[in-house]
Amino acid sequence: MLRSISMKNLAVVESAEVEFEAGLTVLSGETGVGKSILLDAVDLLLGGRSSSDVVRTGETTTVLEARFQADGHAVTLKREISSNGRSRAF
């Protein structure tokens, strides 16, 4: 289960952090509030293809981090994507 996600310099987002509680989580809201960006961040953290286009204009690096928890074990995933297109996953 996804417990939290943080994003820095992803697309138009300067910085955001979201925490999720146990149970059903539904993402809803007006057009343009960032639902797709949040889902794109999860995709990138899980190994989705990245490019320099995801780095916020004027910045050099996008940093994504998520914490997952299952069966009493916690796992943290981190990914850094640079404006030159290189990416590192931790």
Side-chain angles (χ1 to χ4, degrees), residues 1-84:
M1 169 187 312
L2 178 61
R3 301 302 291 181
S4 67
I5 187 167
S6 76
M7 304 172 276
K8 291 187 175 118
N9 301 322
L10 176 64
V12 297
V13 176
E14 182 178 356
S15 179
E17 192 166 322
V18 181
E19 297 215 12
F20 301 97
E21 296 295 326
L24 176 67
T25 299
V26 177
L27 297 174
S28 67
E30 298 287 328
T31 300
V33 296
K35 299 178 300 287
S36 295
I37 292 174
L38 182 64
L39 293 176
D40 289 345
V42 173
D43 178 54
L44 289 167
L45 280 162
L46 295 176
R49 193 175 221 24
S50 70
S51 71
S52 61
D53 295 342
V54 301
V55 180
R56 187 169 191 247
T57 302
E59 301 294 337
T60 59
T61 307
T62 293
V63 179
L64 307 169
E65 191 168 325
R67 193 184 68 200
F68 293 86
Q69 188 168 357
D71 299 327
H73 294 68
V75 174
T76 301
L77 302 178
K78 181 177 180 180
R79 187 158 182 190
E80 296 176 354
I81 304 165
S82 68
S83 58
N84 68 10

